[in-house]
Amino acid sequence: MTELVQEKKGVSQSIDFYKIFRVFLSRWYWITGTVALALFGAWLYLWYTPPIYQTGASLKLEDSNPNLGTNAGIVASQNYNYTDKIQAESFTIRSNEVIANAVKTLDYKISYYLKGRVRTTELYPNVPFVIEILKQDSVNFSRSLYTVTGKDEQHFELSTADNEDKKTTYQYNAIINIGNMSFRIKDKIPVKSTYQFKFNSQEDFIGRAMGGLNIGEAARFTNVMGLNQTDGNAVFAADILNAIMKAYVKYDVIQRRRSARQTVDFINSQLGFIDTAAGKSGSTLASYKARNNMLDVSSSTSMTVGKLSDFEKQKTELNLKQLGIRQLQEQVNSNKSKIEIGMDLDGEINSGMGTLVTQLNNLLASREAKLSQFNNDSQPVRQIEQQISNVKAGIRNAVAGMLRKNEQTIRYIDSQIAGVTQKMSTIPQKEQNFVKLQTNFEVNNKVRSYLSEKKLEAEMNAAAIVPGASIVNPAYPSYYAISPNSSKAYTTALMLGLASGFGLILLVRFLNPYIYDKETVEGLTHTPIIGVIRKFPDYIDQDSRQALSLSKPKSVFAESVRSVRTNLSFLASHKESKVICITSEVSGEGKSFVTINLAGTLALIDKRIILIAADLRRSKLHKAFGNDNKKGLSSLLSGQASLEEVISHDEVHHIDFIPSGPVPPNPSELLHSATMKELLLKLEQQYDYVLVDTAPVGLVSDAIPLIRNADINLFVIRSGVSQQRAANIPERLSREYGLSNLAIILNAFGDDALYANYYTTDYSRGGGNSTYYYSDYSGYSGSGYYDDENRKWWMFWKKK
């Protein structure tokens, strides 16, 4: 056997960007299809998705209240952080009380809808027909969607979403009792027109309003709050947002007047008692003066009475301040979201106390923000709770100091009153009794006068309080839908379609285990490739009925077979006669088809050719020669026939042929016999080429003795059928049996760009694994040299 002189070098390959482009271009219709599907999906999404509208408004937060006297100056001096203040007020705006008050101003009890083919549209604020609710449970009533259709001028049909098939006919103005409620439809519905409606509770709209409300800073470092409301109904979004802002402004005024109201209520309770006491003391004094003929007392006694009255007035003022301090203490001890300093503490609150109150309000707002993101036991919430506890401790200490100071002053006033009372005990009894009655009467009058003044002052302050916020820009309906965004939807669909198309191509390539081109083979093995046989349009591999290289001699396919024939002359060139063994990994890879076409091309150059069907198990090669296969190689090897009896001559192809013969029970043993070796030696003397079509080496071992005794071994790999593991078999055979005469033929190459390798082998720098010339004839179909040139569908200007 002659060895092939081949130096196994590493394959030098470089990325071919044109090939990458051709991979995606070859399946342009996949990309077009995925883009079309994605755009159609976007169209369906836009068609079936209800639009969402958004409207905006602005609120300006006031820094202070200019009508609170001394306390206003304290608040104004506090350095507010607008971001924290807006965040704190946003929780107040989103509170259930504010939202509920806003919903009450809207007509929320009944919602009307227009039923369409694709989606249902809410008709708010339009009322297509009037429904009068006669009786309704405040909590437990049916919230089902009712469908009503006008039947005629006097009747209509009504059904519920729970039972749409059950339609009941009613007369207009007839009482309908369904779902724990009674109602009637008063207006006539157009005949065959269909509407839907449902009954709502206040809580249903509270959730709807809260779900679409967003609050934030209108601009940085300003006290302007921006509010946005999103909803499926543009008019409702504007109406509920305006209602929420008005409800918040009203709520804020009420909260700011709370301290003044408490003061007025306390003064009223005291005035009722003082009025009664003053009236009684006046009557008693007048009666006493009449009985004892007393007109007046001495000047010293009058001064004593005046002092006593002044002390009682001061004590009343201290009691009012004591009330304000207690109110502040209660607010600190509670967990309210905001603390307000009462008006009765004017002059008592210093700047340090005001700063602590402001800091506490900011921390309470921050805690609300943290609770919307974390649970109560989380680290951020625990940290801010600790800060709140520390600030409250400072405020409690300050409040306790105020209480001690006020109580000490009250005790001092009480001691002064006791001293004056003691001094009065030195005057005569009759005059002493008169002084007591007169003192009691004057004290009651002064206290009543003082309380009346304080009441008037508190009422004036309450009336003068302005809201802490004002509406800058009210909300108006915006009919431009923010969702779904058609341009964004189509752009996203286009990008998704392109990505899916490219991804599908890459996925198919990634999951593909098959060999398609010579670059893939060269990247997997060092075994040389002596040729690439093109895929013929009329290729029928199952029966190998004809040598297509002979029937289509000017085709690209025939030229690719001739290229293999040319390279065979370089193999075992010192031998005049050559035994060539053709095999493959598995059946169906075209080794028989390659064998017969290779034999046909060799016969064209006047070579004496004999073809042996050595696959004794499943050979179909005899069908190409019209042989009945009753006698063949198996008959010869088993001694049942002579060589002359099994050889047939094909006049069409000018090829001698030995069929496989009947399937023997021991095919492997027959091929390993000495008779087979003698047969090859005998034929080698009579023919130029002995072509042996063997069984697949990946399935059975029948071909091994033939391969070891052949001059040339050709391993057939079929494009798109052979898996990548097949490329490693020739090297494994070479190592195991010490062979150096193996070469590869890539069969049925179809130039499918989808599976083409990204790399191109660089032979110019000696990096290839072959010294043989061959071509895959890619891109030469339009050269004019071949008969089977196919006109592409876009080449309409070319003649066939």
Side-chain angles (χ1 to χ4, degrees), residues 12 71 83 103 119 184 356 391 406 418 436 457 481 492 511 570 718-719 749:
S12 175
N71 189 44
T83 301
V103 171
R119 57 175 178 256
R184 61 185 174 187
L356 286 175
V391 174
N406 202 65
K436 287 181 179 180
E457 181 183 348
T492 302
L511 298 178
F570 294 100
R718 182 173 176 179
S719 176
F749 175 69

Side-chain angles (χ1 to χ4, degrees), residues 668 671-673 677 680 701-710:
S668 181
L671 294 174
H672 277 76
S673 65
K677 293 181 180 179
L680 291 177
S701 61
D702 299 357
I704 299 302
L706 302 177
I707 291 174
R708 298 182 68 176
N709 289 281

Side-chain angles (χ1 to χ4, degrees), residues 646-709:
V646 297
I647 292 180
S648 62
H649 183 73
D650 183 81
E651 297 295 339
V652 177
H653 303 109
H654 302 290
I655 300 172
D656 289 342
F657 170 64
I658 300 178
S660 62
V663 178
N666 57 342
S668 181
E669 286 75 10
L670 292 177
L671 294 174
H672 277 76
S673 65
T675 306
M676 186 66 199
K677 293 181 180 179
E678 294 173 359
L679 175 64
L680 291 177
L681 291 174
K682 185 176 181 179
L683 294 175
E684 191 176 0
Q685 296 174 1
Q686 300 176 10
Y687 295 92
D688 296 321
Y689 287 94
V690 179
L691 301 180
V692 184
D693 180 28
T694 70
V697 295
L699 300 178
V700 292
S701 61
D702 299 357
I704 299 302
L706 302 177
I707 291 174
R708 298 182 68 176
N709 289 281

Side-chain angles (χ1 to χ4, degrees), residues 366-367 369-371 373-387:
S366 298
R367 182 184 64 181
K370 296 293 184 183
L371 289 175
Q373 303 174 6
F374 307 98
N375 55 39
N376 292 331
D377 297 330
S378 63
Q379 184 64 25
V381 175
R382 288 202 301 267
Q383 288 178 352
I384 202 168
E385 288 282 5
Q386 183 62 42
Q387 296 176 12

Side-chain angles (χ1 to χ4, degrees), residues 417-490:
I417 292 174
V420 173
T421 303
Q422 181 66 30
K423 187 177 181 179
M424 289 174 57
S425 63
T426 59
I427 61 178
Q429 184 65 39
K430 184 178 179 180
E431 187 176 349
Q432 183 177 346
N433 291 334
F434 177 77
V435 169
K436 287 181 179 180
L437 292 175
Q438 187 176 8
T439 301
N440 190 25
F441 173 70
E442 290 185 4
V443 167
N444 287 332
N445 280 337
K446 283 188 176 182
V447 172
R448 179 171 59 181
S449 176
Y450 171 75
L451 290 176
S452 297
E453 291 177 1
K454 293 297 292 184
K455 177 182 178 181
L456 180 61
E457 181 183 348
E459 290 176 342
M460 291 178 63
N461 285 334
I465 289 177
V466 297
S470 58
I471 299 176
V472 179
N473 292 317
Y476 296 96
S478 174
Y479 297 98
Y480 177 76
I482 62 170
S483 175
N485 188 318
S486 58
S487 59
K488 183 178 180 181
Y490 283 121

Side-chain angles (χ1 to χ4, degrees), residues 149-156 169 172 188-192:
T149 304
K151 189 174 183 182
D152 52 41
E153 293 295 328
Q154 301 297 329
H155 301 85
F156 61 89
T169 302
Y172 290 105
K188 293 183 179 180
I189 302 171
V191 178
K192 296 184 179 180

